[in-house]
């Protein structure tokens, strides 16, 4: 008798779930940066095939070849992924390291100042980010250096996700800071000019 009631309850549950309407799947929001980020992601994933490689010049030394540049045969061709003249990414690969340099879009003088201050703040704390370079390459705002030791200790796809997430968030951060500066300037101007009215 108990088996019969359990069977009937199971039948009711299956008919109820089959009869219930399926929730409508929302289309994924289209992001204006998405093709640019996809190109950077695929290029960076391809360039991040790193292996442990000792120096050919100095015994018992292991240095990132993309920084040392002592042997041309160990370097890959640099790739620039560009969205505009002001917004681009330089990916330089080698046998045991990858250097990623990012130029952030800066429309006016306020964005240039905010971007410079924000990048300086981050680069002073480069040791907390592990892959962040203390000084960016010429013509770029910030640079990352990923070595074979990083790919051995961390997941490769997570490192790529970190760079892509940084590129996604940095524009939003600079825009938010610009809005806050403009709001504070407006309030300051109103309170200053209120004395003359």
């Amino acid at each position: 008798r108990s088996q019969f009631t359990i069977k009937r309850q199971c039948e009711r549950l299956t008919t109820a779930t089959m009869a219930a309407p399926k929730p409508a799947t929302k289309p994924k929001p289209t992001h204006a940066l998405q093709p640019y980020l996809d190109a950077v992601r695929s290029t960076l994933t391809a360039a991040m095939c790193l292996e442990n490689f000792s120096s050919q010049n100095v015994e018992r030394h292991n240095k990132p070849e993309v920084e040392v540049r002592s042997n041309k045969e160990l370097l890959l061709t640099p790739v620039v992924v560009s969205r505009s003249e002001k917004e681009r990414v330089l990916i330089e690969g080698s046998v045991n390291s990858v250097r990623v340099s990012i130029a952030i879009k800066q429309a006016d003088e306020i964005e240039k100042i905010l971007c410079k201050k924000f990048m300086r703040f981050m680069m002073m704390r480069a040791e907390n980010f592990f892959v962040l370079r203390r000084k960016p390459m010429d013509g770029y705002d910030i640079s990352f250096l990923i070595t074979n030791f990083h790919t051995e200790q961390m997941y490769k796809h997570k490192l790529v996700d970190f760079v892509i997430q940084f590129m996604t968030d940095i524009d939003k951060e600079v825009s938010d800071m610009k809005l806050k500066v403009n709001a504070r300037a407006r309030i300051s101007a109103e309170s200053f000019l209120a004395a003359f009215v």
Side-chain angles (χ1 to χ4, degrees):
R1 189 177 178 179
S2 60
Q3 289 179 354
F4 180 71
T5 54
I6 290 170
K7 189 177 179 183
R8 286 195 67 183
Q9 287 176 352
C10 289
E11 287 176 358
R12 285 179 190 168
L13 282 172
T14 52
T15 52
T17 52
M18 288 174 69
K22 293 182 180 179
T25 55
K26 293 180 180 178
K28 290 183 180 179
T30 55
H31 203 277
L33 281 173
Q34 201 57 48
Y36 173 59
L37 295 176
D38 289 343
V40 173
R41 181 188 293 276
S42 59
T43 310
L44 188 56
T45 304
M48 215 181 281
C49 297
L50 309 177
E51 63 178 18
N52 196 356
F53 192 86
S54 300
S55 174
Q56 292 182 336
N57 301 329
V58 185
E59 191 178 352
R60 299 174 69 85
H61 273 233
N62 190 332
K63 293 184 178 179
E65 290 293 334
V66 74
E67 295 282 350
V68 178
R69 294 189 169 276
S70 57
N71 302 101
K72 289 185 178 180
E73 66 271 11
L74 303 177
L75 302 174
L76 299 176
T77 306
V79 178
V80 178
V81 181
S82 178
R83 188 166 180 248
S84 63
E85 289 183 7
K86 297 179 181 178
E87 198 172 4
R88 63 193 187 279
V89 177
L90 171 66
I91 299 172
E92 300 169 278
S94 70
V95 68
N96 64 351
S97 55
V98 176
R99 185 167 56 197
V100 184
S101 304
I102 302 171
I104 299 160
K105 181 181 66 176
Q106 298 159 27
D108 52 12
E109 290 298 322
I110 295 175
E111 285 190 8
K112 286 181 182 176
I113 294 167
L114 289 172
C115 186
K116 185 180 178 182
K117 294 287 183 186
F118 190 52
M119 293 303 115
R120 187 167 177 269
F121 173 83
M122 288 187 65
M123 284 183 283
M124 286 174 67
R125 293 152 181 82
E127 65 273 0
N128 297 329
F129 291 95
F130 298 107
V131 295
L132 187 60
R133 203 167 176 263
R134 282 197 176 274
K135 188 179 177 185
M137 296 298 293
D138 293 335
Y140 293 87
D141 299 305
I142 195 164
S143 294
F144 297 96
L145 178 65
I146 301 169
T147 65
N148 62 293
F149 298 112
H150 294 132
T151 55
E152 288 168 8
Q153 294 169 3
M154 309 175 203
Y155 290 115
K156 189 193 296 184
H157 65 278
K158 291 287 185 184
L159 286 168
V160 176
D161 289 343
F162 169 74
V163 175
I164 298 298
Q165 191 64 42
F166 176 84
M167 291 174 61
T168 308
D169 292 344
I170 193 66
D171 291 332
K172 189 167 58 177
E173 290 287 337
V174 172
S175 299
D176 289 347
M177 285 191 288
K178 184 181 176 184
L179 289 173
K180 287 175 184 175
V181 168
N182 288 338
R184 287 183 67 180
R186 192 180 300 113
I187 292 166
S188 301
E190 286 175 0
S191 60
F192 178 75
L193 294 173
F196 299 100
V197 177

